[in-house]
Amino acid sequence: MATIEQKGMYRTFPRSGKDVSFTHYCPGCGHGIINKLIAEACAELGLQDRTIFVDPVGCGVFTYYYWDAAHISAAHGRASAAATGACRARPDAVTIAYQGDGDLGAIGFNNAFQAASRGERFGCIFVNNSLYGMTGGQMAPTTLDGETTTTTPFGRDPALTGHPLHVCEVFSQLKAPVYIARVSVADTRRIMQAKQAIRKVFEIERDGRGYALLEILAPCPTNFKMSPDKAAAFCMNEMEKEFPLGVFRDETREPLAVRPVPRAASCRELFAEKDAVPAAADDPAFPERRFKFAGYGGQGILSLGLCIAEAARLERRHTLWFPSYGPEQRGGSANCSVVVSGTPIGSPTVEHPDVLVCMNRPAYERFVGDVKKGGTVVVDETVPVEVQPPEGVSLVRWPAIRMAEEFGVPKAANTMMLAALKKFKLTGLSDASLEEALVASFRKKPELGEKNRELLRRAESGARS
Ligand SMILES: Cc1ncc(C[n+]2csc(CCOP(=O)(O)OP(=O)(O)O)c2C)c(N)n1
Ligand code: SF4
């Protein structure tokens, strides 16, 4: 690909500070051909403004430099998981995951397989060059029996490493996919067929029909240690013996009504339908606040975070709650991050909280150093404070556990902590929302909701600060 004039690709590729008009692929690499076909299909169908590409880690990693559309860069093996999120969040988009055979067939097999099984509405373009190209030519699940790679220098031995994985054939066992096919880019005729199949994947996603998998056999001259023509011949003669080309499933001729597109409920539908709270409203005057809640599992620390997120939702703030569990059900460490904002939130992770709430010593020692200047740490008074918070961070020692015990409800220590957040106005949310959220968290046991509201008020007025 020396000159890139056609639509679908950028005209030049500004990589590593240089504005070049050639890709990073080796001469004769299948990725280069496939990248061009994908760009052409996307542009010819007029889908550039609707397409979200999910890029892999592998030799296809830089497609965001080449294809002129929206991109998400996924971690190695996770393109199908990221594509699931993208197609659910943007049902109107054409979502295309691009994955290598190490990426999809090895580390990422399960998330790709499960996405196919669920019939997620994205197309997966799966480039099978029979080995790990980017990392130097190691064996992949698709390596042929007897094929030499850097990790099978004497040829793949099925007795040690099994036989090649046939991804199309395995995915064909699933009910949900609407299209599964294998093509090749080893010669001109095959390239033309591959182009048609790629167009088909775009059309399926354009029409919202469901999950499509297109495997493309591709030469990797560098790691095959062959000239481009010999690598193409290997792809045609050897790879096709193991991986026959063909269409394994094509349900695209069925009228759409026969196969309704499975539609995932959005978060808003899942959580907001019952009480019909409208979606978040933008309010740039409301500053973003980031919280971290940490303690042992079973101390109600995740519910406390959820309560703040729920209070924010009731006020139509943008909010995210992000739990992190230790391996144990009870007694292990648990923490959650909550972000509340007047504008849409970029990331749910909280590295530097404005407010840190700690119910035990390990949590305090782990997170206290991260609190932002001007922030506040609320820590249960039983926690020995040997490490001081950073300069400019306020410390509130609060008798949450003791009060809960004195009130005869030891499990309500998290409600006692909420009292501290409310009393010292640390959330930016109204008292009414915090109370309503607390009561709502006991929806299944309404008597406990009112009881906790009462405990909250007692703790707030009774505690020494
Ligand atoms: C989690 C993780 N594990 C391993 C790697 C190293 N790694 C990068 S690319 C790659 C394999 C690439 O092979 P493939 O997916 O077949 O794509 P190709 O380069 O052949 O197109 C591996 C193992 C990584 N980046 N991240
Ligand atoms: S190493 Fe192989 S897959 Fe990677 S760019 Fe070169 S030829 Fe293509």
Side-chain angles (χ1 to χ4, degrees):
M1 278 188 298
T3 54
I4 312 294
E5 290 296 331
Q6 89 245 4
K7 280 164 69 186
M9 278 191 137
Y10 294 112
R11 291 172 70 86
T12 55
F13 317 130
R15 277 185 284 120
S16 315
K18 286 188 226 131
D19 207 9
V20 296
S21 56
F22 49 87
T23 69
H24 70 291
Y25 298 119
C26 311
C29 173
H31 278 296
I33 302 166
I34 297 165
N35 278 204
K36 185 165 181 286
L37 299 180
I38 289 175
E40 283 174 359
C42 181
E44 284 165 13
L45 292 166
L47 294 174
Q48 275 180 262
D49 292 340
R50 268 180 71 188
T51 299
I52 302 172
F53 287 111
V54 185
D55 309 319
V57 171
C59 280
V61 67
F62 288 149
T63 52
Y64 49 80
Y65 284 128
Y66 309 143
W67 297 329
D68 183 2
H71 287 260
I72 296 172
S73 249
H76 185 47
R78 300 299 183 272
S80 287
T84 297
C87 72
R88 287 185 177 209
R90 295 294 304 268
D92 53 327
V94 170
T95 304
I96 305 289
Y98 186 81
Q99 303 194 247
D101 49 317
D103 190 88
L104 186 149
I107 188 171
F109 185 81
N110 190 40
N111 76 81
F113 188 65
Q114 300 294 348
S117 176
R118 292 190 304 268
E120 299 293 347
R121 275 183 302 158
F122 69 87
C124 181
I125 294 184
F126 164 49
V127 180
N128 176 359
N129 56 17
S130 83
L131 39 69
Y132 288 10
M134 185 198 213
T135 43
Q138 295 86 351
M139 190 193 89
T142 48
T143 298
L144 306 182
D145 287 340
E147 184 177 347
T148 305
T149 67
T150 51
T151 46
T152 56
F154 306 109
R156 180 176 186 169
D157 177 358
L160 289 175
T161 54
H163 294 284
L165 176 69
H166 296 92
V167 171
C168 282
E169 287 82 344
V170 172
F171 278 40
S172 291
Q173 304 307 308
L174 300 170
K175 279 190 180 170
V178 294
Y179 181 68
I180 301 177
R182 182 183 291 125
V183 292
S184 161
V185 288
D187 70 2
T188 314
R189 184 172 61 83
R190 286 170 171 75
I191 290 172
M192 297 322 291
Q193 286 166 349
K195 170 84 180 279
Q196 290 314 312
I198 289 169
R199 274 182 72 103
K200 185 152 200 152
V201 171
F202 274 93
E203 284 164 353
I204 289 168
E205 303 316 323
R206 176 195 65 194
D207 300 341
R209 283 178 176 271
Y211 179 86
L213 173 73
L214 180 63
E215 175 172 344
I216 308 183
L217 302 186
C220 169
T222 301
N223 288 303
F224 292 175
K225 302 194 184 352
M226 294 176 190
S227 60
D229 57 334
K230 293 230 166 65
F234 177 84
C235 186
M236 236 174 332
N237 301 329
E238 303 305 324
M239 288 175 70
E240 275 182 34
K241 260 191 235 154
E242 184 69 42
F243 301 113
L245 307 185
V247 177
F248 296 80
R249 181 174 308 167
D250 184 355
E251 293 181 2
T252 58
R253 279 183 209 96
E254 278 184 32
L256 263 180
V258 175
R259 191 188 182 95
V261 176
R263 197 176 148 277
S266 69
C267 295
R268 196 171 141 208
E269 285 166 334
L270 285 173
F271 296 110
E273 227 164 38
K274 288 187 206 100
D275 54 8
V277 173
D282 287 352
D283 174 8
F286 184 89
E288 184 177 277
R289 279 192 178 76
R290 298 188 154 249
F291 302 82
K292 177 82 86 184
F293 299 88
Y296 292 127
Q299 285 184 312
I301 206 76
L302 302 184
S303 319
L304 176 58
L306 202 50
C307 190
I308 302 299
E310 172 69 1
R313 192 179 71 84
L314 293 170
E315 290 189 13
R316 301 189 59 196
R317 301 296 177 199
H318 295 272
T319 184
L320 289 174
W321 172 79
F322 188 59
S324 166
Y325 308 90
E328 307 89 337
Q329 281 285 342
R330 287 210 167 254
S333 62
N335 73 71
C336 66
S337 303
V338 175
V339 188
V340 176
S341 176
T343 49
I345 300 162
S347 165
T349 57
V350 173
E351 283 174 14
H352 298 292
D354 297 284
V355 178
L356 170 67
V357 174
C358 293
M359 293 291 265
N360 67 15
R361 180 177 183 160
Y364 175 78
E365 290 178 357
R366 180 170 167 202
F367 294 116
V368 68
D370 298 337
V371 181
K372 254 191 219 157
K373 197 167 181 181
T376 306
V377 184
V378 186
V379 60
D380 189 80
E381 67 168 11
T382 55
V383 173
V385 176
E386 283 162 17
V387 185
Q388 285 304 308
E391 214 184 302
V393 171
S394 317
L395 180 70
V396 177
R397 300 192 71 202
W398 185 254
I401 294 173
R402 177 169 58 79
M403 277 194 295
E405 278 165 3
E406 281 173 9
F407 294 158
V409 196
K411 277 188 168 175
N414 56 352
T415 299
M416 305 294 107
M417 271 299 185
L418 181 63
L421 297 177
K422 183 167 171 251
K423 181 177 175 115
F424 300 113
K425 308 268 176 240
L426 293 174
T427 64
L429 302 165
S430 74
D431 289 356
S433 307
L434 292 170
E435 288 195 13
E436 199 185 328
L438 177 67
V439 173
S441 68
F442 292 98
R443 252 183 214 120
K444 288 189 186 142
K445 294 182 186 162
E447 67 291 354
L448 287 184
E450 283 312 321
K451 170 95 185 153
N452 271 270
R453 190 202 297 268
E454 187 200 317
L455 292 173
L456 177 80
R457 291 181 179 171
R458 276 176 71 191
E460 215 185 322
S461 57
R464 287 170 282 119
S465 60

